[in-house]
Amino acid sequence: MNFSFDTTKILIGGEWRDCDSGETIDVINPSNGEFLCKVARGSQKDIDDAVKAAQDAYDGDWGRMTAVERGRILTNIGNKLKEYEDELTELESHDVGKPVKQARADAIALCRYFEFYGGSADKVMGHTIPYQDGYTVFTLREPHGVTGHIIPWNYPMQITGRCVGGALAMGNTCVLKPSEEACLTALKFARIAEEAGLPKGVLNVVPGYGAEAGAALSGHPGIHHISFTGSVGVGKLVQKAAGDNIVPVTLELGGKSPQIVFDDADLDAALPFLVGAGIQNAGQTCSAGTRIIAQRGIYEKLIGMMTEKYNTLQVGPATDDLDVGPLISAKQKNTVDGYIQAGIDAGLEIAAQGNIVDNCPEKGCYVRPTLFRDVSNDHKLAQEEIFGPVQVIIPFDTEEEAIKIANGTEYGLVSGVWTRDGGRQMRMAKAVKAGQLFINNYGAGGGVELPFGGIGKSGFGREKGFEALYGFSVLKTVAVNHG
Ligand code: NAD
């Protein structure tokens, strides 16, 4: 594809420049395994410069700007992003292998984050607190200062929007380290934000490898808050590094989310969500609803319905805009193929598989969506985050049993419950351990307005929605003795 910008440049202090080493990383298109472009291999020196530029911007006009003015700039960014929706969609589709409709949904979500946070910037308020006679006490919500953002490859636009949007709304400045696997839309986004009037140095973007640029950012003493989205293993490293500097962290990690289907559920309404939440983005979604926990009375019927749906699923190049695109890389494909093989080797029964269309490029990273039935919740297919289009169905008899199975992993990100019984809806809302719970719907990644985050190994802290603004700010209590 043709690029409208130089993909090898990094953004520091409003200047697009080469990274310090001058080295680059090759970007591969996962739909065909072919070379797409080069991006910079940022390192410690680039991160040092980016943090300094972000601090300078914070100490300058941006730090003194009113919330109303900041909100207007974010709203401008949202408006400008609309003009670039097609280009962002094309970039993401080539870079990540997303079917066009998914890439477009992500571009729209990026825009929505800036609309939402543009409108929120001047609505975060403190409190007055009744105290001793002669005192007035109030609280102020203030920015952290320089914030670091380390993001993964699966939803680069959505995650850039949610973390950078929230941080800027509260008056922070940002250093963004996108994934080495997929950083093109983050680079393009920064150019669009610049065009929309974001002052120099407020957003700095340094692509590079995790162990280099990522580690340099998470351990940097000049950072005042880190927002990390990625795997549990790297999340631990980021938390340790931030701990050394006593810096607050938001960790948005993995998941193994259940969708619980009771006998009284509207199965026709549930079906598109049950399958869709497992195969969206080729299953490379932290909140993918991969464990279908189904009550015995509808168990066989539901398997039949899901099988029928799976049989229609088509997998192919992102630009063909089918149900499922390729995985991000050959490495990820090998991992997911390994899980499917492990299921087969363990004697698990495959209920259904989708189909890879004819004439797919040989080097594309394609995997057939696969549904395993009668899986025990302690099997690794039901316990580990596969990050590919693989779902398991687990039977249950009682509500108690369903809760036990749903809560029976290390994770707690998102859950879905399908039932028409109002009392049960409320009981499940309280009993299921997750950061988000959907009843009679399922929103893998959806809704910029909805606070999102995990418990357990899914992480802590909340991004998205208004709630995120508390995490991207610090509370100061002011006690005035006026006699
Ligand atoms: P990853 O942890 O491998 O990488 C995430 C980011 O961390 C990348 O930018 C990477 O370069 C960087 N990184 C790697 N090593 C680092 C280090 N030592 N120090 C600092 N940074 C480092 O994750 P991934 O493979 O890119 O993404 C998939 C994972 O992300 C899955 O586990 C998925 O569930 C999770 N995820 C979570 C959410 C959420 O909101 N909870 C959203 C999307 C993805």
Side-chain angles (χ1 to χ4, degrees):
M1 70 174 280
N2 295 322
F3 294 96
S4 67
F5 62 100
D6 184 342
T7 61
T8 64
K9 302 291 184 199
I10 66 176
L11 176 63
I12 294 180
E15 191 196 330
W16 288 96
R17 64 194 216 195
D18 292 329
C19 63
D20 179 58
S21 68
E23 287 182 43
T24 54
I25 300 170
D26 285 354
V27 178
I28 304 298
N29 178 343
S31 287
N32 54 24
E34 287 172 12
F35 172 81
L36 187 60
C37 64
K38 288 180 184 295
V39 295
R41 179 178 173 174
S43 58
Q44 181 77 52
K45 171 75 168 68
D46 303 304
I47 293 292
D48 289 344
D49 291 352
V51 172
K52 182 175 181 316
Q55 184 65 57
D56 289 348
Y58 184 76
D59 294 337
D61 293 346
W62 181 257
R64 289 187 285 274
M65 198 177 273
T66 63
V68 179
E69 289 172 293
R70 280 200 313 270
R72 282 193 191 122
I73 293 175
L74 297 201
T75 304
N76 285 346
I77 295 174
N79 289 335
K80 191 53 82 184
L81 282 164
K82 281 185 200 136
E83 295 172 25
Y84 287 95
E85 186 185 305
D86 288 345
E87 185 179 344
L88 288 166
T89 300
E90 192 187 5
L91 275 174
E92 200 77 311
S93 198
H94 282 75
D95 199 10
V96 185
K98 286 175 190 261
V100 176
K101 53 182 163 309
Q102 174 68 57
R104 187 169 297 283
D106 291 2
I108 292 168
L110 172 62
C111 165
R112 274 290 297 131
Y113 276 111
F114 280 85
E115 286 176 342
F116 182 86
Y117 286 123
S120 310
D122 61 352
K123 294 172 189 66
V124 180
M125 296 169 201
H127 299 287
T128 54
I129 301 172
Y131 191 52
Q132 296 171 17
D133 192 27
Y135 279 78
T136 297
V137 181
F138 58 93
T139 59
L140 297 173
R141 280 261 158 214
E142 298 183 336
H144 292 284
V146 179
T147 55
H149 303 266
I150 301 176
I151 66 169
W153 47 261
N154 62 339
Y155 286 89
M157 283 197 274
Q158 293 214 28
I159 297 171
T160 295
R162 82 180 188 200
C163 61
V164 170
L168 293 180
M170 292 312 294
N172 301 284
T173 56
C174 302
V175 178
L176 173 64
K177 205 301 278 176
S179 168
E180 59 274 27
E181 304 267 15
C183 60
L184 298 180
T185 48
L187 293 169
K188 182 66 196 179
F189 161 74
R191 288 179 186 266
I192 296 168
E194 230 179 4
E195 204 184 317
L198 190 68
K200 289 181 191 312
V202 172
L203 170 65
N204 305 274
V205 186
V206 182
Y209 290 118
E212 297 173 359
L217 182 57
S218 57
H220 203 289
I223 293 285
H224 307 114
H225 180 277
I226 309 243
S227 159
F228 172 79
T229 305
S231 60
V232 174
V234 177
K236 285 183 194 170
L237 297 176
V238 168
Q239 189 176 2
K240 280 184 195 144
D244 284 343
N245 292 320
I246 317 289
V247 166
V249 190
T250 303
L251 292 183
E252 299 277 11
L253 309 177
K256 194 71 192 173
S257 297
Q259 302 195 69
I260 309 160
V261 190
F262 285 93
D263 284 348
D264 67 342
D266 179 343
L267 296 186
D268 291 325
L271 184 67
F273 291 90
L274 295 175
V275 176
I279 59 153
Q280 177 179 319
N281 205 32
Q284 303 165 118
T285 303
C286 54
S287 49
T290 47
R291 287 185 302 143
I292 311 295
I293 303 173
Q295 202 163 15
R296 200 82 62 177
I298 47 88
Y299 189 67
E300 290 302 334
K301 181 174 180 198
L302 182 63
I303 290 176
M305 290 170 75
M306 289 185 73
T307 298
E308 225 172 273
K309 181 81 186 154
Y310 259 74
N311 288 340
T312 68
L313 294 177
Q314 290 194 304
V315 184
T319 42
D320 288 6
D321 205 12
L322 303 171
D323 304 299
V324 178
L327 300 188
I328 184 73
S329 61
K331 184 169 161 244
Q332 188 68 13
K333 173 180 156 49
N334 287 342
T335 304
V336 176
D337 283 343
Y339 273 104
I340 295 174
Q341 194 56 49
I344 295 167
D345 293 347
L348 294 181
E349 186 181 337
I350 292 179
Q353 286 192 297
N355 299 297
I356 298 173
V357 295
D358 292 341
N359 304 323
C360 270
E362 215 171 276
K363 287 193 183 146
C365 309
Y366 302 101
V367 169
R368 291 177 72 187
T370 303
L371 178 67
F372 284 97
R373 59 170 293 166
D374 312 329
V375 178
S376 160
N377 196 48
D378 55 15
H379 192 277
K380 75 180 223 165
L381 260 60
Q383 287 292 315
E384 297 176 15
E385 185 182 49
I386 298 173
F387 233 52
V390 180
Q391 291 184 293
V392 297
I393 309 194
I394 305 167
F396 73 91
D397 291 299
T398 64
E399 190 176 310
E400 239 178 12
E401 204 187 336
I403 294 166
K404 198 166 161 223
I405 296 170
N407 292 343
T409 73
E410 293 184 311
Y411 295 106
L413 197 54
V414 172
S415 285
V417 175
W418 295 88
T419 177
R420 289 182 167 106
D421 179 332
R424 179 186 282 144
Q425 291 173 0
M426 292 302 138
R427 290 193 297 278
M428 295 302 282
K430 291 188 178 173
V432 174
K433 293 188 177 142
Q436 273 189 345
L437 184 103
F438 292 92
I439 295 175
N440 294 336
N441 71 107
Y442 194 94
V448 308
E449 309 85 351
L450 310 181
F452 179 80
I455 58 171
K457 291 278 189 328
S458 293
F460 54 81
R462 294 293 176 264
E463 291 191 347
K464 302 171 76 162
F466 206 78
E467 189 68 27
L469 300 177
Y470 300 123
F472 285 122
S473 60
V474 251
L475 189 82
K476 181 190 279 174
T477 304
V478 182
V480 184
N481 176 355
H482 41 72

